[in-house]
Amino acid sequence: MSDVVDVLKKSPVIPVLAFKSEQEAVEVCRVLFDEGLSVLEITLRHDSALSAINAVKADLPADACVGAGTVITADLAEAAIEAGAEFGVSPGLTPALADAVKKLNWPFLPGVASLSEAMQAREWGFRALKFFPANISGGTGFLKAVGSVLPDLMFCPTGGITVDTAPDYRALPNVATVGGSWITPRGKDGTIDLGLVRELARTAVETV
Ligand code: 3PG
């Protein structure tokens, strides 16, 4: 399995993204990349997600790292790789998914929310895990406790993280980066304001 920790360490924050169209994806990702966020997770939550990954990869420079989020089945993992996703993220982990991503040798960040889940993922060979949903599953206290019993695991906490709480997570030795959607909020009209994204991305890079 390729090492997803190398991917995580490239960016202090990984924006978790959900796009309604390829055009929206390209416009937003261009801003994020320009502001220094070079690792981008495009979730497979809209029909256009796979083509968005493809379009963003084609548009951004080669040092951008574009991955797929919400990869909950082996079929989605294969489709995401086909679309060009350089890494995958999942909110959880099943035996079938673990088996598939290992066979595909794809950098993969499976989600866990408890010690038993972390131990199971570790047994399957994963050393970097998404801690999700971080804010309601124990937050930084959970990660400190895990660090003392499973010190060889690294985490990317995600879920309810904001620019105000991200630094506390990032200060922990077992946190490689944090993920979140706060940088790309949708307005009441359902659109993403690119000026606001620029501002939030800049603040995230400076603060986190
Ligand atoms: C995810 O898929 O990782 C979460 O939806 C991101 O969590 P957030 O929207 O609370 O930042």
Side-chain angles (χ1 to χ4, degrees):
M1 215 177 338
S2 309
D3 201 347
V4 74
V5 176
D6 294 339
V7 174
L8 302 182
K9 287 193 169 160
K10 284 184 190 164
S11 186
V13 179
I14 300 184
V16 178
L17 307 159
F19 295 121
K20 292 181 178 171
S21 69
E22 283 172 42
Q23 191 195 338
E24 180 181 66
V26 167
E27 286 172 358
V28 172
C29 289
R30 229 179 249 174
V31 173
L32 294 171
F33 183 79
D34 278 356
E35 293 302 327
L37 296 172
S38 61
V39 181
L40 306 165
E41 176 190 333
I42 299 180
T43 58
L44 305 183
R45 295 183 202 162
H46 286 285
D47 292 344
S48 59
L50 292 170
S51 54
I53 289 171
N54 203 273
V56 170
K57 283 257 309 165
D59 183 71
L60 291 185
D63 49 337
C65 188
V66 183
T70 327
V71 179
I72 56 171
T73 64
D75 286 351
L76 282 176
E78 281 177 26
I81 291 171
E82 181 81 10
E86 290 154 274
F87 67 97
V89 184
S90 175
L93 189 60
T94 66
L97 184 58
D99 193 44
V101 295
K102 281 199 281 184
K103 285 191 181 132
L104 291 164
N105 197 30
W106 192 38
F108 195 70
L109 187 72
V112 300
S114 72
L115 261 163
S116 294
E117 289 169 12
M119 286 166 63
Q120 176 65 86
R122 188 177 173 282
E123 270 183 25
W124 283 329
F126 297 92
R127 291 290 181 273
L129 306 172
K130 166 172 165 141
F131 172 40
F132 178 80
N135 63 333
I136 54 168
S137 305
T140 53
F142 173 83
L143 290 169
K144 282 179 198 161
V146 180
S148 52
V149 288
L150 302 172
D152 58 347
L153 294 182
M154 288 300 284
F155 290 88
C156 172
T158 312
I161 294 181
T162 66
V163 71
D164 297 321
T165 59
D168 289 343
Y169 284 98
R170 288 271 300 145
L172 300 175
N174 57 348
V175 168
T177 185
V178 301
S181 64
W182 84 84
I183 299 163
T184 54
R186 280 186 190 280
K188 283 195 184 124
D189 62 355
T191 63
I192 299 176
D193 176 343
L194 294 180
L196 179 60
V197 169
R198 190 173 291 284
E199 211 176 288
L200 293 171
R202 195 166 291 174
T203 309
V205 169
E206 283 165 9
T207 319
V208 183

